[in-house]
Amino acid sequence: MEFVPEEGKHLNEDCSTLILPALSIGNVGQLVADLLISSMGSERVGYLDDPNVLPCVGNDAYAPFPQGDLALPLEAYDSPSNALTIIQQRSPVIKGMMVEFAKNMADFLAGSGKKHIIVLSSLDFGKWQKVDMSSGLQIYYLSSANSNGTDESCEQLGWKKLQEYDPSQKHWKYLSDLAEGNVTLEDIISVEDELEDENYYASLPFAALFAFLKAKGLKVTCLLCYCSEGDNVSDAFQLADATCKLLQITRPPTGIEGGKWRVPLSWMSVYGPPPDVSIF
């Protein structure tokens, strides 16, 4: 993975925390990254080039009016006033290459001087075993602070550890061993054949990123929510609020007028145009 800076720019060394979406159902992590970039007045400082990410290109996603600046698959934005770097990922990883991508990302972030990585992702509502909507959207987390994935600071915010995480369970242990270089070729073949079918959670992109970032000695916190495919804007707002709580950013953060999130220009067409009323 190579970082290509914008002309005259570089990653700010004072931005010790980095936010990274892990692509999943509903694309909630990406929507949250959009909100944070747009609302915090973040500046694009460069992009990342990785052979495992599918190429894509689009128009400027955040300017009030499109300026013709190209949007690329992996971009890095800095918000110095919040000591925060945000990576936005706009296209998926090539099928079967998630482990390589996670390894490359962990190598890059470990060498960039970042101290805390926050991974944002979503989980399939259909996989939720114990549904509890009594208090609205429930935020789940997974942390490298303790070996069992718990983190006292997250518990104090009222969030629940992802119950399906068990570091001794076969598939989670496989990811950990893989990240630490303790897996043989026979292990890889036997486990990967059954990984997705037997363990939904360990097969998701956030799990691979968590394992490889943790193996590099980085502090990692995954923030997760359950959702379904469709319009997940409301889920993105709530997960963005949770991110600000974790970061202890006083609301409203810099650039958010009146405490309201600044919706990026690209969202105007994210779900297509409204239906033609003449059909009703």
Side-chain angles (χ1 to χ4, degrees):
M1 182 175 290
E2 179 184 3
F3 175 69
V4 183
E6 295 274 356
E7 186 175 356
K9 299 179 183 178
H10 57 86
L11 287 173
N12 193 316
E13 295 179 357
D14 295 329
C15 296
S16 59
T17 299
L18 182 137
I19 290 178
L20 174 68
L23 274 60
S24 187
I25 186 170
N27 304 108
V28 178
Q30 292 165 286
L31 294 174
V32 174
D34 267 351
L35 280 175
L36 294 172
I37 291 167
S38 179
S39 301
M40 293 183 174
S42 305
E43 177 186 38
R44 188 170 74 171
V45 293
Y47 65 91
L48 297 168
D49 184 27
D50 189 277
N52 303 299
V53 178
L54 290 170
C56 74
V57 67
N59 205 345
D60 188 351
Y62 304 112
F65 301 98
Q67 303 296 314
D69 294 331
L70 295 181
L72 300 171
L74 279 171
E75 296 180 329
Y77 292 79
D78 273 350
S79 176
S81 59
N82 296 293
L84 190 63
T85 295
I86 305 165
I87 289 180
Q88 178 59 295
Q89 182 179 344
R90 293 194 173 89
S91 64
V93 174
I94 297 171
K95 184 175 177 59
M97 302 305 294
M98 187 60 219
V99 165
E100 282 300 312
F101 173 75
K103 179 180 183 300
N104 292 348
M105 181 63 75
D107 288 342
F108 168 72
L109 295 181
S112 68
K114 303 302 179 185
K115 305 299 183 186
H116 186 191
I117 313 300
I118 300 174
V119 178
L120 305 175
S121 195
S122 43
L123 309 169
D124 186 352
F125 194 89
K127 301 288 186 179
W128 201 358
Q129 299 297 318
K130 297 180 180 179
V131 180
D132 179 13
M133 299 297 288
S134 59
S135 57
L137 181 72
Q138 176 64 56
I139 302 297
Y140 289 85
Y141 77 90
L142 182 60
S143 172
S144 63
N146 294 299
S147 59
N148 63 355
T150 60
D151 189 325
E152 183 60 30
S153 60
C154 292
E155 293 288 335
Q156 291 176 355
L157 291 170
W159 304 336
K160 299 178 180 178
K161 193 208 83 171
L162 183 67
Q163 295 175 340
E164 288 75 12
Y165 176 71
D166 179 356
S168 64
Q169 192 268 346
K170 180 178 180 180
H171 298 95
W172 288 105
K173 187 176 185 302
Y174 162 74
L175 280 177
S176 178
D177 289 344
L178 189 64
E180 295 172 2
N182 299 326
V183 176
T184 65
L185 179 60
E186 291 76 12
D187 293 331
I188 294 174
I189 294 173
S190 64
V191 175
E192 287 193 347
D193 285 343
E194 59 189 34
L195 184 58
E196 188 169 354
D197 293 334
E198 287 197 6
N199 197 305
Y200 163 73
Y201 297 91
S203 72
L204 293 177
F206 87 86
L209 288 167
F210 176 77
F212 277 86
L213 291 167
K214 181 181 178 183
K216 287 292 183 180
L218 295 166
K219 179 182 179 182
V220 192
T221 306
C222 299
L223 296 185
L224 313 162
C225 67
Y226 284 91
C227 74
S228 302
E229 289 288 6
D231 185 346
N232 293 300
V233 167
S234 61
D235 300 314
F237 282 126
Q238 294 185 66
L239 192 57
D241 283 334
T243 303
C244 286
K245 289 180 181 178
L246 180 65
L247 294 170
Q248 297 182 329
I249 296 177
T250 303
R251 296 296 308 273
T254 302
I256 301 181
E257 300 173 0
K260 296 181 179 179
W261 292 105
R262 184 180 298 160
V263 175
L265 175 70
S266 56
W267 283 23
M268 292 178 63
S269 58
V270 68
Y271 295 111
D276 185 348
V277 294
S278 65
I279 67 176
F280 298 108

